Amino acid sequence: MVRSTILLEIQDGVATLTLNRPDRLNAINLAMHEELAAALDEIAADRAVRALLLTGAGPGFCAGQDLAERASVRDGTPIDLGDSLEQRYNPLIRRLVGLNIPVVAAVNGVAAGAGVNLALACDIVLAGRAARFTQSFCKIGLVPDCGGTFTLPRLVGAARARALMLLGETLNGAQAEVWGMIWRCYDDTILMREARAMATNFARQPTTGLGLIKQALRASADSTFDEQLDRERDLQRIAGHTQDYREGVTAFLDKRPPQFSGE
Ligand code: T3D
Protein backbone atom coordinates (compact mmCIF):
# COMPACT_ATOMS: atom_id res chain seq x y z
CA MET A 1 0.00 0.00 0.00
CA VAL A 2 1.33 3.44 -0.92
CA ARG A 3 1.46 5.56 2.23
CA SER A 4 1.04 9.32 1.94
CA THR A 5 0.10 10.24 5.53
CA ILE A 6 2.08 7.89 7.75
CA LEU A 7 5.48 6.23 7.79
CA LEU A 8 5.98 2.66 8.93
CA GLU A 9 9.41 1.24 9.60
CA ILE A 10 10.06 -2.18 11.07
CA GLN A 11 13.47 -2.89 12.53
CA ASP A 12 14.84 -5.13 15.27
CA GLY A 13 11.36 -6.22 16.31
CA VAL A 14 10.11 -2.63 16.67
CA ALA A 15 7.52 -1.07 14.38
CA THR A 16 7.80 2.72 14.29
CA LEU A 17 4.65 4.38 13.08
CA THR A 18 5.00 8.10 12.37
CA LEU A 19 1.99 10.29 11.67
CA ASN A 20 3.24 12.27 8.72
CA ARG A 21 1.27 15.38 7.83
CA PRO A 22 3.60 17.82 9.60
CA ASP A 23 2.20 21.01 8.02
CA ARG A 24 -1.24 20.10 9.47
CA LEU A 25 0.23 19.03 12.85
CA ASN A 26 -0.54 15.46 11.72
CA ALA A 27 -4.30 16.02 11.77
CA ILE A 28 -6.13 12.82 10.90
CA ASN A 29 -7.83 12.75 7.51
CA LEU A 30 -9.57 9.92 5.72
CA ALA A 31 -6.39 8.75 4.00
CA MET A 32 -4.61 8.61 7.37
CA HIS A 33 -7.44 6.55 8.83
CA GLU A 34 -7.14 4.04 5.99
CA GLU A 35 -3.37 3.88 6.18
CA LEU A 36 -3.39 3.53 9.97
CA ALA A 37 -5.91 0.71 9.80
CA ALA A 38 -3.81 -1.19 7.26
CA ALA A 39 -0.57 -0.55 9.16
CA LEU A 40 -1.99 -1.68 12.50
CA ASP A 41 -3.38 -4.84 10.87
CA GLU A 42 0.04 -5.51 9.36
CA ILE A 43 1.74 -5.00 12.73
CA ALA A 44 -0.76 -7.25 14.51
CA ALA A 45 -0.20 -10.02 11.97
CA ASP A 46 3.62 -9.88 12.05
CA ARG A 47 4.93 -12.05 14.87
CA ALA A 48 8.39 -10.59 14.40
CA VAL A 49 7.06 -7.22 15.59
CA ARG A 50 7.32 -7.19 19.38
CA ALA A 51 6.80 -3.48 20.16
CA LEU A 52 5.21 -0.44 18.53
CA LEU A 53 6.43 3.12 18.77
CA LEU A 54 3.95 5.82 17.73
CA THR A 55 5.06 9.39 17.13
CA GLY A 56 4.48 12.43 14.93
CA ALA A 57 6.59 14.08 12.23
CA GLY A 58 7.48 17.75 12.54
CA PRO A 59 6.46 20.05 15.38
CA GLY A 60 3.23 18.30 16.40
CA PHE A 61 2.12 14.86 17.54
CA CYS A 62 -1.47 14.97 16.26
CA ALA A 63 -4.09 17.76 16.10
CA GLY A 64 -7.03 15.36 15.95
CA GLN A 65 -9.57 15.28 13.16
CA ASP A 66 -8.59 17.31 10.10
CA LEU A 67 -11.15 20.09 10.34
CA ALA A 68 -10.68 20.97 6.67
CA GLU A 69 -12.59 17.75 5.97
CA ARG A 70 -15.49 19.19 8.00
CA ALA A 71 -15.62 22.50 6.12
CA SER A 72 -19.04 21.69 4.68
CA VAL A 73 -20.68 22.27 8.09
CA ARG A 74 -20.07 25.97 7.50
CA ASP A 75 -22.92 26.13 4.99
CA GLY A 76 -25.14 23.95 7.13
CA THR A 77 -24.51 20.59 5.42
CA PRO A 78 -25.05 18.00 8.16
CA ILE A 79 -22.31 15.45 8.89
CA ASP A 80 -22.98 12.33 10.95
CA LEU A 81 -20.04 12.37 13.34
CA GLY A 82 -21.42 9.29 15.08
CA ASP A 83 -20.85 7.51 11.81
CA SER A 84 -17.29 8.85 11.70
CA LEU A 85 -16.63 7.40 15.15
CA GLU A 86 -18.32 4.11 14.32
CA GLN A 87 -16.54 3.67 10.98
CA ARG A 88 -13.14 5.25 11.69
CA TYR A 89 -12.15 6.39 15.18
CA ASN A 90 -13.53 3.53 17.24
CA PRO A 91 -11.98 0.85 15.01
CA LEU A 92 -8.69 2.76 15.12
CA ILE A 93 -8.64 2.81 18.93
CA ARG A 94 -9.80 -0.81 19.15
CA ARG A 95 -7.02 -1.87 16.79
CA LEU A 96 -4.44 0.03 18.82
CA VAL A 97 -5.63 -1.05 22.25
CA GLY A 98 -6.13 -4.62 21.05
CA LEU A 99 -2.49 -5.07 20.05
CA ASN A 100 -0.87 -7.73 22.18
CA ILE A 101 2.51 -6.02 22.08
CA PRO A 102 3.61 -3.00 24.14
CA VAL A 103 2.79 0.32 22.50
CA VAL A 104 4.92 3.36 23.34
CA ALA A 105 3.80 6.85 22.37
CA ALA A 106 6.44 9.54 21.95
CA VAL A 107 4.49 12.79 22.09
CA ASN A 108 6.82 15.23 20.40
CA GLY A 109 4.54 18.28 20.24
CA VAL A 110 0.90 19.28 20.48
CA ALA A 111 -1.67 16.51 20.95
CA ALA A 112 -5.19 17.86 20.56
CA GLY A 113 -8.66 16.37 20.23
CA ALA A 114 -8.52 12.81 18.97
CA GLY A 115 -4.73 13.22 18.94
CA VAL A 116 -4.45 13.41 22.71
CA ASN A 117 -6.71 10.42 23.27
CA LEU A 118 -4.87 8.46 20.60
CA ALA A 119 -1.71 8.99 22.67
CA LEU A 120 -3.47 8.06 25.91
CA ALA A 121 -4.65 4.81 24.33
CA CYS A 122 -1.00 3.70 24.16
CA ASP A 123 0.52 1.63 26.97
CA ILE A 124 3.39 3.95 27.87
CA VAL A 125 3.18 7.62 27.03
CA LEU A 126 6.43 9.59 26.89
CA ALA A 127 6.52 13.27 26.05
CA GLY A 128 8.99 15.99 25.28
CA ARG A 129 8.97 19.32 27.10
CA ALA A 130 7.48 20.82 23.93
CA ALA A 131 4.47 18.51 24.19
CA ARG A 132 1.07 20.02 24.88
CA PHE A 133 -2.01 18.00 25.66
CA THR A 134 -5.45 19.48 25.10
CA GLN A 135 -8.89 17.91 25.17
CA SER A 136 -9.87 20.67 22.76
CA PHE A 137 -13.20 19.09 21.74
CA CYS A 138 -15.24 21.43 23.95
CA LYS A 139 -13.85 24.42 22.07
CA ILE A 140 -15.67 23.36 18.90
CA GLY A 141 -18.77 21.98 20.58
CA LEU A 142 -17.79 18.30 20.50
CA VAL A 143 -17.51 15.47 22.98
CA PRO A 144 -14.11 13.90 23.77
CA ASP A 145 -13.76 10.65 21.85
CA CYS A 146 -11.27 7.87 21.16
CA GLY A 147 -12.03 6.49 24.62
CA GLY A 148 -10.89 9.66 26.39
CA THR A 149 -13.93 9.87 28.65
CA PHE A 150 -13.03 6.37 29.86
CA THR A 151 -9.27 6.67 30.01
CA LEU A 152 -8.62 10.17 31.32
CA PRO A 153 -10.56 9.96 34.64
CA ARG A 154 -8.81 6.67 35.36
CA LEU A 155 -5.43 8.29 34.77
CA VAL A 156 -5.80 11.64 36.51
CA GLY A 157 -8.94 11.29 38.63
CA ALA A 158 -12.46 12.60 38.11
CA ALA A 159 -11.91 16.24 39.14
CA ARG A 160 -8.96 16.80 36.84
CA ALA A 161 -10.54 14.91 33.94
CA ARG A 162 -13.73 16.93 34.24
CA ALA A 163 -11.82 20.21 34.29
CA LEU A 164 -9.56 19.25 31.38
CA MET A 165 -12.52 18.18 29.27
CA LEU A 166 -14.91 21.00 30.14
CA LEU A 167 -12.34 23.80 30.07
CA GLY A 168 -10.16 22.50 27.24
CA GLU A 169 -7.07 23.78 29.03
CA THR A 170 -3.62 22.71 27.95
CA LEU A 171 -1.18 20.63 30.00
CA ASN A 172 2.47 20.58 29.07
CA GLY A 173 4.60 17.44 29.19
CA ALA A 174 6.04 18.13 32.64
CA GLN A 175 2.58 18.79 34.15
CA ALA A 176 1.20 15.71 32.47
CA GLU A 177 3.90 13.64 34.17
CA VAL A 178 3.24 15.19 37.58
CA TRP A 179 -0.49 14.48 37.15
CA GLY A 180 0.17 10.86 36.26
CA MET A 181 -1.40 11.28 32.83
CA ILE A 182 1.77 10.08 31.15
CA TRP A 183 4.71 8.01 32.27
CA ARG A 184 7.62 10.41 31.75
CA CYS A 185 8.59 13.77 30.27
CA TYR A 186 12.04 14.19 28.72
CA ASP A 187 14.01 17.04 27.24
CA ASP A 188 12.99 17.29 23.60
CA THR A 189 16.50 16.46 22.46
CA ILE A 190 16.43 13.02 24.08
CA LEU A 191 12.74 12.09 23.75
CA MET A 192 13.11 9.95 20.63
CA ARG A 193 16.28 8.29 21.89
CA GLU A 194 14.55 7.31 25.14
CA ALA A 195 11.40 6.20 23.34
CA ARG A 196 13.35 4.05 20.87
CA ALA A 197 15.41 2.55 23.68
CA MET A 198 12.23 1.63 25.54
CA ALA A 199 10.59 0.09 22.46
CA THR A 200 13.78 -1.82 21.60
CA ASN A 201 14.00 -3.14 25.13
CA PHE A 202 10.33 -4.18 24.99
CA ALA A 203 11.08 -6.11 21.79
CA ARG A 204 13.48 -8.31 23.79
CA GLN A 205 11.08 -9.06 26.63
CA PRO A 206 8.61 -11.97 27.05
CA THR A 207 6.14 -10.69 24.45
CA THR A 208 3.42 -13.25 25.09
CA GLY A 209 3.56 -12.52 28.83
CA LEU A 210 3.40 -8.77 28.24
CA GLY A 211 0.38 -9.31 26.00
CA LEU A 212 -1.30 -11.27 28.78
CA ILE A 213 -0.57 -8.45 31.26
CA LYS A 214 -2.25 -6.04 28.85
CA GLN A 215 -5.23 -8.38 28.59
CA ALA A 216 -5.57 -8.52 32.39
CA LEU A 217 -5.33 -4.76 32.78
CA ARG A 218 -7.85 -4.11 29.98
CA ALA A 219 -10.33 -6.45 31.61
CA SER A 220 -9.82 -5.00 35.10
CA ALA A 221 -11.60 -1.79 34.15
CA ASP A 222 -14.99 -3.47 34.25
CA SER A 223 -14.44 -6.53 36.39
CA THR A 224 -14.92 -7.32 40.04
CA PHE A 225 -12.00 -8.28 42.25
CA ASP A 226 -13.12 -11.90 42.19
CA GLU A 227 -13.38 -11.88 38.42
CA GLN A 228 -9.86 -10.52 38.23
CA LEU A 229 -8.56 -13.25 40.52
CA ASP A 230 -10.11 -15.82 38.19
CA ARG A 231 -8.73 -14.05 35.15
CA GLU A 232 -5.23 -13.91 36.67
CA ARG A 233 -5.44 -17.65 37.27
CA ASP A 234 -6.39 -18.29 33.64
CA LEU A 235 -3.78 -15.97 32.18
CA GLN A 236 -1.07 -17.26 34.52
CA ARG A 237 -1.86 -20.76 33.32
CA ILE A 238 -1.16 -19.65 29.76
CA ALA A 239 1.95 -17.69 30.79
CA GLY A 240 3.29 -20.70 32.63
CA HIS A 241 3.27 -22.71 29.42
CA THR A 242 5.30 -20.18 27.39
CA GLN A 243 8.88 -20.75 26.28
CA ASP A 244 9.75 -17.39 27.80
CA TYR A 245 8.66 -18.45 31.28
CA ARG A 246 10.84 -21.53 30.95
CA GLU A 247 13.73 -19.36 29.73
CA GLY A 248 13.18 -16.79 32.51
CA VAL A 249 13.32 -19.37 35.27
CA THR A 250 16.22 -21.26 33.66
CA ALA A 251 18.25 -18.08 33.17
CA PHE A 252 17.59 -17.01 36.76
CA LEU A 253 18.72 -20.36 38.14
CA ASP A 254 21.74 -20.43 35.80
CA LYS A 255 22.62 -16.88 36.87
CA ARG A 256 22.74 -15.58 33.26
CA PRO A 257 20.71 -12.94 31.35
CA PRO A 258 17.57 -14.40 29.75
CA GLN A 259 17.14 -14.59 25.95
CA PHE A 260 13.43 -14.24 25.40
CA SER A 261 11.98 -15.37 22.05
CA GLY A 262 8.61 -13.77 22.66
CA GLU A 263 6.91 -17.17 22.44
O1 T3D B 1 -15.07 14.88 12.89
C1 T3D B 1 -15.17 13.76 13.33
O2 T3D B 1 -15.01 12.74 12.63
C2 T3D B 1 -15.48 13.59 14.80
C3 T3D B 1 -14.25 13.32 15.54
C4 T3D B 1 -13.52 14.32 16.03
C5 T3D B 1 -12.23 14.11 16.70
C6 T3D B 1 -11.49 15.39 16.90
O3 T3D B 1 -10.29 15.32 16.94
S1 T3D B 1 -12.31 16.87 17.06
C7 T3D B 1 -11.01 17.98 17.44
C8 T3D B 1 -10.28 18.46 16.20
N1 T3D B 1 -9.08 19.19 16.52
C9 T3D B 1 -9.09 20.41 17.01
O4 T3D B 1 -10.10 21.02 17.27
C10 T3D B 1 -7.75 21.09 17.16
C11 T3D B 1 -7.62 22.23 16.16
N2 T3D B 1 -6.30 22.82 16.26
C12 T3D B 1 -5.96 23.65 17.24
O5 T3D B 1 -6.71 23.97 18.14
C13 T3D B 1 -4.58 24.19 17.17
O6 T3D B 1 -4.12 24.13 15.86
C14 T3D B 1 -3.61 23.44 18.09
C15 T3D B 1 -3.93 23.74 19.54
C16 T3D B 1 -3.64 21.95 17.84
C17 T3D B 1 -2.17 23.93 17.81
O7 T3D B 1 -2.13 25.33 17.84
P1 T3D B 1 -0.84 26.09 17.27
O8 T3D B 1 -1.05 27.54 17.50
O9 T3D B 1 0.39 25.46 17.80
O10 T3D B 1 -0.80 25.74 15.71
P2 T3D B 1 -1.75 26.36 14.57
O11 T3D B 1 -1.09 27.57 13.98
O12 T3D B 1 -3.12 26.49 15.05
O13 T3D B 1 -1.71 25.14 13.50
C18 T3D B 1 -0.65 25.00 12.56
C19 T3D B 1 -1.31 24.63 11.23
O14 T3D B 1 -1.96 23.36 11.40
C20 T3D B 1 -2.38 25.63 10.83
O15 T3D B 1 -2.39 25.71 9.43
P3 T3D B 1 -1.85 27.03 8.67
O16 T3D B 1 -2.56 28.20 9.25
O17 T3D B 1 -0.37 27.06 8.98
O18 T3D B 1 -2.13 26.79 7.24
C21 T3D B 1 -3.66 24.98 11.29
O19 T3D B 1 -4.78 25.36 10.56
C22 T3D B 1 -3.34 23.50 11.02
N3 T3D B 1 -4.16 22.64 11.88
C23 T3D B 1 -4.06 22.49 13.20
N4 T3D B 1 -4.98 21.64 13.64
C24 T3D B 1 -5.69 21.26 12.57
C25 T3D B 1 -5.17 21.90 11.44
N5 T3D B 1 -5.67 21.72 10.22
C26 T3D B 1 -6.72 20.88 10.11
N6 T3D B 1 -7.28 20.24 11.16
C27 T3D B 1 -6.79 20.40 12.39
N7 T3D B 1 -7.33 19.71 13.43
Side-chain angles (χ1 to χ4, degrees):
M1 178 184 205
V2 179
R3 297 188 181 99
S4 62
T5 66
I6 62 169
L7 303 171
L8 175 62
E9 181 199 312
I10 298 177
Q11 204 179 355
D12 297 332
V14 177
T16 303
L17 223 171
T18 306
L19 307 178
N20 192 29
R21 301 183 71 220
D23 56 329
R24 302 287 91 190
L25 300 176
N26 304 316
I28 304 171
N29 62 5
L30 198 52
M32 190 184 281
H33 269 299
E34 285 170 358
E35 291 173 20
L36 280 173
L40 290 172
D41 285 348
E42 185 181 327
I43 289 164
D46 187 345
R47 289 193 68 80
V49 174
R50 295 171 62 186
L52 169 61
L53 174 58
L54 176 67
T55 192
F61 175 74
C62 176
Q65 168 63 37
D66 185 333
L67 294 177
E69 282 190 342
R70 301 291 177 256
S72 62
V73 296
R74 281 192 297 201
D75 61 25
T77 308
I79 299 180
D80 184 346
L81 297 187
D83 196 52
S84 168
L85 265 54
E86 183 71 19
Q87 302 297 328
R88 304 287 170 189
Y89 283 98
N90 290 355
L92 167 64
I93 296 300
R94 288 190 173 112
R95 275 187 171 91
L96 187 65
V97 170
L99 287 175
N100 282 323
I101 55 173
V103 181
V104 179
V107 181
N108 50 302
V110 70
V116 65
N117 292 330
L118 180 68
L120 298 184
C122 297
D123 297 310
I124 306 276
V125 186
L126 307 177
R129 298 212 179 274
R132 287 175 287 152
F133 296 87
T134 170
Q135 298 278 345
S136 56
F137 305 87
C138 60
K139 296 193 171 170
I140 55 168
L142 290 188
V143 177
D145 55 26
C146 293
T149 57
F150 182 93
T151 307
L152 191 64
R154 287 168 168 79
L155 290 171
V156 301
R160 284 173 164 170
R162 270 201 299 266
L164 287 174
M165 289 183 161
L166 293 173
L167 299 171
E169 283 188 10
T170 300
L171 280 190
N172 63 33
Q175 286 170 307
E177 179 186 323
V178 171
W179 280 25
M181 195 176 90
I182 65 166
W183 175 236
R184 218 155 260 175
C185 175
Y186 292 106
D187 283 337
D188 298 310
T189 49
I190 63 166
L191 170 68
M192 286 315 294
R193 193 179 73 206
E194 293 292 333
R196 276 203 197 92
M198 180 178 279
T200 303
N201 183 50
F202 267 136
R204 296 180 185 136
Q205 299 305 312
T207 308
T208 302
L210 296 181
L212 296 172
I213 294 173
K214 287 184 58 162
Q215 229 177 291
L217 290 172
R218 273 199 301 269
S220 78
D222 42 24
S223 301
T224 64
F225 183 71
D226 271 332
E227 286 167 342
Q228 275 306 102
L229 285 178
D230 289 346
R231 184 164 286 113
E232 289 170 6
R233 173 203 61 208
D234 295 343
L235 295 176
Q236 198 72 299
R237 185 167 286 137
I238 299 169
H241 286 113
T242 59
Q243 288 175 29
D244 282 339
Y245 171 62
R246 184 174 167 186
E247 167 62 7
V249 174
T250 306
F252 178 81
L253 296 174
D254 291 352
K255 299 191 186 301
R256 64 168 173 81
Q259 295 285 328
F260 294 119
S261 66
E263 300 297 332

